[in-house]
Coordinates of all heavy atoms in Angstrom, one line a residue:
G10 N 115.9 153.4 47.5 CA 115.3 153.5 48.9 C 116.2 154.0 49.9 O 116.3 153.5 51.0
S12 N 116.5 157.1 51.3 CA 116.1 158.3 52.1 C 116.2 158.1 53.6 O 116.1 159.0 54.4 CB 114.8 158.9 51.7 OG 113.8 158.1 52.1
S13 N 116.3 156.8 54.0 CA 116.3 156.5 55.4 C 117.1 155.2 55.7 O 117.5 154.6 54.7 CB 114.9 156.4 55.9 OG 114.2 155.3 55.3
G14 N 117.2 154.9 56.9 CA 117.7 153.5 57.3 C 118.9 153.1 56.7 O 119.9 153.8 56.6
I15 N 118.9 151.8 56.1 CA 120.1 151.2 55.6 C 120.7 151.9 54.4 O 121.9 152.1 54.3 CB 119.8 149.7 55.3 CG1 119.5 148.9 56.7 CG2 120.9 149.0 54.6 CD1 118.9 147.5 56.5
G16 N 119.8 152.2 53.4 CA 120.3 152.8 52.3 C 121.0 154.2 52.5 O 122.1 154.5 52.0
D33 N 115.0 157.6 46.0 CA 113.9 157.2 46.7 C 112.6 157.6 46.0 O 112.6 158.6 45.3 CB 113.9 157.7 48.2 CG 113.1 156.8 49.1 OD1 111.8 157.0 49.1 OD2 113.7 156.1 49.9
C34 N 111.5 156.8 46.3 CA 110.3 157.2 45.6 C 109.7 158.4 46.3 O 108.8 159.1 45.7 CB 109.3 156.0 45.7 SG 108.9 155.4 47.3
F58 N 113.2 158.3 42.5 CA 113.2 157.1 41.7 C 112.4 156.0 42.4 O 112.6 155.6 43.5 CB 114.7 156.6 41.6 CG 114.8 155.4 40.8 CD1 114.7 155.4 39.4 CD2 114.9 154.1 41.5 CE1 114.8 154.2 38.7 CE2 115.1 153.0 40.7 CZ 115.0 153.0 39.4
D59 N 111.3 155.6 41.7 CA 110.4 154.6 42.1 C 110.8 153.3 41.4 O 110.8 153.2 40.2 CB 109.0 154.9 41.9 CG 108.0 153.9 42.4 OD1 108.4 152.7 42.5 OD2 106.9 154.3 42.7
V60 N 111.2 152.2 42.1 CA 111.7 151.0 41.5 C 110.6 150.3 40.7 O 110.9 149.4 39.9 CB 112.3 150.1 42.5 CG1 113.5 150.7 43.2 CG2 111.3 149.5 43.5
C61 N 109.4 150.7 40.9 CA 108.2 150.1 40.2 C 107.7 151.0 39.0 O 106.8 150.6 38.4 CB 107.1 149.9 41.1 SG 107.5 148.9 42.6
N84 N 118.2 148.4 47.4 CA 117.9 148.4 48.9 C 116.4 148.7 49.2 O 115.9 148.3 50.3 CB 118.7 149.5 49.5 CG 118.3 149.9 50.9 OD1 118.6 149.1 51.8 ND2 117.7 151.0 51.1
A85 N 115.7 149.3 48.3 CA 114.3 149.8 48.6 C 113.5 148.6 49.1 O 113.6 147.4 48.6 CB 113.6 150.3 47.4
G86 N 112.7 148.9 50.2 CA 111.9 147.7 50.7 C 110.8 148.2 51.5 O 110.7 149.4 52.0
I87 N 109.7 147.4 51.7 CA 108.6 147.7 52.6 C 108.2 146.4 53.3 O 108.6 145.3 52.9 CB 107.4 148.2 51.8 CG1 107.1 147.3 50.6 CG2 107.6 149.6 51.4 CD1 105.8 147.8 49.8
V107 N 108.0 145.7 44.8 CA 109.1 146.6 45.3 C 110.4 145.8 45.5 O 111.5 146.3 45.2 CB 108.6 147.3 46.6 CG1 109.8 148.1 47.2 CG2 107.5 148.2 46.3
M108 N 110.3 144.6 46.0 CA 111.5 143.9 46.5 C 112.0 142.7 45.7 O 113.0 142.2 45.9 CB 111.2 143.4 48.0 CG 111.1 144.5 48.9 SD 110.9 144.0 50.6 CE 109.3 143.4 50.6
I134 N 120.1 144.1 48.9 CA 119.8 144.0 50.4 C 118.7 143.1 50.6 O 117.5 143.4 50.4 CB 119.6 145.4 51.0 CG1 120.7 146.5 50.7 CG2 119.5 145.2 52.5 CD1 122.1 146.1 51.0
G135 N 119.1 141.8 50.8 CA 118.1 140.8 51.1 C 117.8 140.8 52.6 O 117.6 141.9 53.2
S136 N 117.7 139.7 53.2 CA 117.4 139.6 54.6 C 117.7 138.2 55.1 O 117.8 137.2 54.3 CB 115.9 139.9 54.8 OG 115.4 139.5 56.0
Y149 N 106.9 139.2 52.1 CA 108.3 139.6 52.3 C 109.3 138.5 52.2 O 110.3 138.6 51.4 CB 108.4 140.2 53.8 CG 109.7 140.9 54.1 CD1 110.0 142.2 53.8 CD2 110.8 140.2 54.8 CE1 111.1 142.8 54.2 CE2 111.9 140.8 55.1 CZ 112.2 142.1 54.8 OH 113.3 142.7 55.1
K153 N 112.1 138.1 49.3 CA 113.6 138.1 49.7 C 114.2 136.7 49.3 O 115.4 136.7 48.9 CB 113.7 138.3 51.2 CG 113.3 139.7 51.7 CD 114.2 140.8 51.0 CE 113.9 142.2 51.7 NZ 114.8 143.2 51.0
P179 N 120.8 140.4 56.2 CA 120.9 140.7 57.7 C 119.8 140.2 58.5 O 118.6 140.2 58.0 CB 121.0 142.3 57.7 CG 120.3 142.6 56.4 CD 120.5 141.5 55.4
G180 N 120.0 140.0 59.8 CA 118.9 139.9 60.8 C 118.4 141.2 61.0 O 118.6 142.2 60.2
Y181 N 117.8 141.4 62.2 CA 117.2 142.8 62.4 C 118.2 143.8 62.5 O 119.2 143.7 63.2 CB 116.4 142.7 63.7 CG 115.0 142.0 63.6 CD1 114.8 140.7 64.2 CD2 114.0 142.4 62.7 CE1 113.7 140.0 64.1 CE2 112.9 141.7 62.5 CZ 112.6 140.5 63.2 OH 111.5 139.8 63.0
V182 N 118.0 144.9 61.8 CA 118.9 146.1 61.9 C 118.1 147.2 62.5 O 116.9 147.3 62.2 CB 119.3 146.5 60.4 CG1 120.3 147.6 60.4 CG2 119.8 145.3 59.6
T184 N 116.5 150.2 62.4 CA 116.0 151.2 61.5 C 114.6 151.6 61.8 O 113.9 150.9 62.6 CB 116.1 150.7 60.1 OG1 115.2 149.6 60.0 CG2 117.5 150.3 59.7
D185 N 114.1 152.6 61.1 CA 112.7 153.0 61.2 C 111.8 151.9 60.9 O 110.7 151.7 61.6 CB 112.4 154.2 60.3 CG 113.1 155.4 60.6 OD1 113.6 155.5 61.8 OD2 113.1 156.4 59.8
M186 N 112.2 151.1 59.9 CA 111.3 149.9 59.5 C 111.1 149.0 60.7 O 109.9 148.5 61.0 CB 111.9 149.2 58.3 CG 111.1 148.0 57.7 SD 111.9 147.1 56.5 CE 111.4 147.7 55.0
V187 N 112.2 148.7 61.4 CA 112.1 147.8 62.6 C 111.4 148.4 63.7 O 110.6 147.8 64.4 CB 113.5 147.3 62.9 CG1 113.6 146.7 64.3 CG2 113.9 146.2 61.9
Ligands
NAD301 P1 113.4 152.0 55.6 O1 112.0 151.9 55.6 O2 114.2 152.9 56.4 O3 113.9 152.2 54.0 C1 113.2 151.6 52.9 C2 113.2 152.7 51.9 O4 112.7 152.2 50.7 C3 112.3 153.9 52.4 O5 113.1 155.1 52.3 C4 111.2 153.9 51.3 O6 110.7 155.2 51.0 C5 111.9 153.2 50.1 N1 110.9 152.7 49.2 C6 109.8 152.0 49.4 N2 109.2 151.7 48.2 C7 109.9 152.2 47.3 C8 109.8 152.1 45.9 N3 108.8 151.7 45.2 N4 110.8 152.8 45.2 C9 111.8 153.4 45.8 N5 112.0 153.4 47.1 C10 111.0 152.8 47.8 O7 113.9 150.4 55.9 P2 115.3 149.7 56.0 O8 115.2 149.0 57.3 O9 116.4 150.7 55.8 O10 115.3 148.7 54.8 C11 116.1 148.8 53.7 C12 116.3 147.3 53.1 O11 116.8 146.4 54.1 C13 114.9 146.7 52.8 O12 115.0 146.0 51.5 C14 114.7 145.8 53.9 O13 113.8 144.7 53.5 C15 116.1 145.3 54.2 N6 116.2 144.7 55.6 C16 116.0 145.5 56.6 C17 116.1 144.9 57.9 C18 115.9 145.7 59.2 O14 116.0 145.1 60.2 N7 115.7 147.0 59.1 C19 116.6 143.6 58.0 C20 116.8 142.9 56.8 C21 116.7 143.4 55.6

Side-chain angles (χ1 to χ4, degrees):
S12 70
S13 59
I15 293 170
D33 201 280
C34 58
F58 179 78
D59 184 332
V60 300
C61 302
N84 168 75
I87 50 176
V107 173
M108 291 182 293
I134 307 302
S136 164
Y149 187 86
K153 294 295 189 184
Y181 288 114
V182 187
T184 62
D185 292 348
M186 184 189 262
V187 161

